[in-house]
Amino acid sequence: MADILEIKNLTKIYGQGKENLCVLREVSLNISAGSFVVLLGPSGSGKSTLLNLIGMLDTATQGQIFFEGQDLCQIKSERRRSALRLQKMGFVFQFDGLLPEFNLLENVALPALMRGIDAKPRAQKLLDQLGIGHIRHKMPADLSGGEKQRAAIARALCNRPALLLADEPTGNLDAARKEQVFKDFAALARQGLTVLMVTHDVHAANFADAVYTLENQQLIRSN
Ligand SMILES: Nc1ncnc2c1ncn2[C@@H]1O[C@H](COP(=O)(O)OP(=O)(O)OP(=O)(O)O)[C@@H](O)[C@H]1O
Ligand SMILES: [Mg+2]
């Protein structure tokens, strides 16, 4: 299939002058539509940084990120960035990012609601699939880490994104739940969703179409 994401010579340097820190040095990566890609790498190697750049949550120092043929680094208007994110991308942040003043069901349905779509039935279905449908009325503060993490996965999927960016989405889950999420992502990829997932769990590689490791500012394909 065609490449949905084409990253060319991407460099990210935090800070300025002597205090600067180069996290990504001319990193290139192509991801074809409908694939499940796993990103490994030591803590602090720049995995979240890369996801943030793809999600337009931060700006690159140099390089290009083509998403469906469009260079994301050239989209300067925050309004246009937000609109594109909302329409095409789903995020699971490393820290769940649920809104504390809304219950689980509302949190999951919210991104779709922002597009004028009543997604509560779909939100309920996703929560059921992830085994937390029965606690849909609970508030985020009253949930376990794993429950919050599963709600964040449901929220990212509810809007039917083209690209799912998932930053350690299973770090708080037990082994069985973890494996189920990996299987779900692989199945969703078969249906056309592109998944880029950061994890420290090498076992995830068994379910992925491609595995990359980020280390020493470089991205290396490891399968
Ligand atoms: N806003 C920032 N300003 C300066 N340095 C930053 C900033 N964000 C991250 N860093 C640094 O960049 C490096 C990469 O951080 P990043 O969060 O991308 O790592 P990571 O691979 O996601 O790590 P982890 O596995 O622990 O989540 C780290 O050394 C971090 O301290
Ligand atoms: Mg991280």
Side-chain angles (χ1 to χ4, degrees), residues 8-25:
K8 290 187 179 169
N9 303 320
L10 193 69
T11 294
K12 177 64 183 177
I13 301 170
Y14 285 114
Q16 289 176 339
K18 279 198 178 145
E19 299 296 304
N20 72 19
L21 175 70
C22 181
V23 178
L24 305 172
R25 191 182 299 277

Side-chain angles (χ1 to χ4, degrees), residues 1-165:
M1 259 203 257
D3 289 339
I4 186 172
L5 202 63
E6 229 184 315
I7 297 175
K8 290 187 179 169
N9 303 320
L10 193 69
T11 294
K12 177 64 183 177
I13 301 170
Y14 285 114
Q16 289 176 339
K18 279 198 178 145
E19 299 296 304
N20 72 19
L21 175 70
C22 181
V23 178
L24 305 172
R25 191 182 299 277
E26 303 203 355
V27 163
S28 295
L29 168 70
N30 280 30
I31 295 181
S32 54
S35 57
F36 176 21
V37 178
V38 161
L39 179 57
L40 303 166
S43 182
S45 61
K47 305 179 298 298
S48 297
T49 299
L50 181 60
L51 254 53
N52 288 342
L53 292 175
I54 297 168
M56 299 173 286
L57 299 169
D58 197 358
T59 47
T61 307
Q62 241 170 30
Q64 295 160 308
I65 303 172
F66 292 98
F67 173 70
E68 296 182 335
Q70 185 179 19
D71 185 1
L72 299 180
C73 302
Q74 296 304 321
I75 307 177
K76 307 290 182 202
S77 134
E78 189 44 53
R79 196 183 53 82
R80 281 189 57 213
R81 287 169 171 239
S82 308
L84 184 59
R85 259 199 304 268
L86 186 61
Q87 272 184 11
K88 300 275 187 167
M89 298 181 187
F91 281 88
V92 186
F93 293 103
Q94 192 164 4
F95 306 100
D96 66 75
L98 298 172
L99 298 171
E101 62 270 37
F102 294 99
N103 73 28
L104 269 200
L105 188 68
E106 291 162 345
N107 258 289
V108 173
L110 209 60
L113 192 66
M114 287 167 69
R115 299 173 69 192
I117 299 162
D118 175 18
K120 284 209 173 142
R122 175 164 165 79
Q124 178 68 53
K125 202 173 143 203
L126 285 164
L127 288 171
D128 287 339
Q129 276 171 11
L130 288 156
I132 46 172
H134 59 293
I135 53 167
R136 64 186 171 280
H137 295 310
K138 278 192 144 188
M139 305 304 275
D142 304 329
L143 300 172
S144 75
E147 288 165 349
K148 278 192 273 201
Q149 204 152 42
R150 282 180 275 164
I153 293 171
R155 184 187 54 182
L157 292 172
C158 192
N159 227 357
R160 299 185 194 279
L163 175 65
L164 177 69
L165 299 167

